[in-house]
Amino acid sequence: MLVDDHEVVRRGIVMAIEASASLKVVGEASSVAEARRRLPAIRPDVLVVDLQLPDGTGIDVMRIARELDPEQQMLVLTSFDDDAALHESQAVGARGLILKSARSQEIVEAIRAVRAGRTLWPADQDEGTPELSPSDQRIVDLIGDGHSNREIAEQLGIAEKTVKNRVTVILQTLGMQRRTQVAAMVAARRRAGWK
């Protein structure tokens, strides 16, 4: 079962899965509410979940799935490559995480791996300077430009709630408490000639 709010992404993945001999899509959902309604009847071997959904997150969907079936095999499909997404996904019992930028065949292979009970996590990042994903770096730049969460959401075409969640993760990653600290950091970098 595939849970993703972007129909084009869903269609592409469904086509890739249906083209493989050993896998079949038994259900789709575009929101947490829809997944909650469909999961009890479908009970898929593997649940493939996007983290960013219009009415919540993939974490919410995975919690629901785990309540229905403690052994549910789950794979996260996301645009955000960050430690927070990885750790949250591991905490609710996902078996792996793959980026939407991966080739169709890689996504199919990841689903097969999770179905076989294997785990599939990106290599641990080196300790040291915290790194932000390109998406989060864009949010940091917009904070530096003085934009509110709503303005950032409009510019990036995502929900304001998503921006708020990402800002929380960014603050944790950077070891900061307030967005004013992020804005000050960006200003200092720009004065120093950083991009």
Side-chain angles (χ1 to χ4, degrees):
M1 180 171 168
L2 180 61
V3 184
D4 193 304
D5 62 323
H6 293 100
E7 190 178 352
V8 174
V9 172
R10 246 187 10 254
R11 291 286 100 222
I13 295 168
V14 167
M15 284 171 57
I17 291 170
E18 296 288 355
S20 77
S22 60
L23 297 175
K24 182 176 191 294
V25 177
V26 293
E28 297 177 47
S30 60
S31 65
V32 175
E34 194 177 354
R36 186 189 299 275
R37 281 195 308 273
R38 305 203 68 200
L39 267 169
I42 293 172
R43 298 295 179 101
D45 289 339
V46 180
L47 179 64
V48 181
V49 186
D50 182 15
L51 286 183
Q52 307 297 321
L53 296 169
D55 59 343
T57 69
I59 303 296
D60 301 327
V61 173
M62 290 190 284
R63 284 195 182 110
I64 294 163
R66 268 296 152 105
E67 285 172 18
L68 290 167
D69 178 4
E71 302 302 314
Q72 176 70 64
Q73 303 284 27
M74 302 179 293
L75 174 68
V76 173
L77 182 68
T78 183
S79 304
F80 292 105
D81 181 14
D82 63 44
D83 285 343
L86 190 146
H87 295 315
E88 280 186 278
S89 301
Q90 287 174 328
V92 294
R95 305 281 304 184
L97 180 146
I98 190 162
L99 293 177
K100 286 186 180 181
S101 57
R103 295 192 317 275
S104 298
Q105 191 54 39
E106 289 176 312
I107 294 172
V108 169
E109 289 303 323
I111 294 169
R112 279 203 186 104
V114 167
R115 184 181 177 201
R118 298 197 301 274
T119 56
L120 195 79
W121 298 106
D124 292 335
Q125 294 186 1
D126 291 337
E127 295 296 324
T129 309
E131 285 194 8
L132 297 173
S133 68
S135 307
D136 285 351
Q137 188 56 58
R138 179 84 181 109
I139 292 172
V140 166
D141 291 340
L142 290 168
I143 290 172
D145 292 338
H147 293 290
S148 67
N149 285 355
R150 178 175 292 164
E151 291 167 336
I152 293 170
E154 286 170 2
Q155 284 212 29
L156 299 181
I158 57 179
E160 186 176 350
K161 183 182 174 187
T162 300
V163 174
K164 188 177 177 188
N165 291 341
R166 298 315 308 162
V167 169
T168 301
V169 170
I170 289 164
L171 291 173
Q172 289 171 345
T173 303
L174 297 175
M176 297 179 177
Q177 330 260 278
R178 294 178 298 283
R179 56 187 292 141
T180 50
Q181 292 173 290
V182 177
M185 176 194 75
V186 173
R189 285 181 173 181
R190 287 174 180 169
R191 280 196 303 274
W194 288 33
K195 257 179 127 178

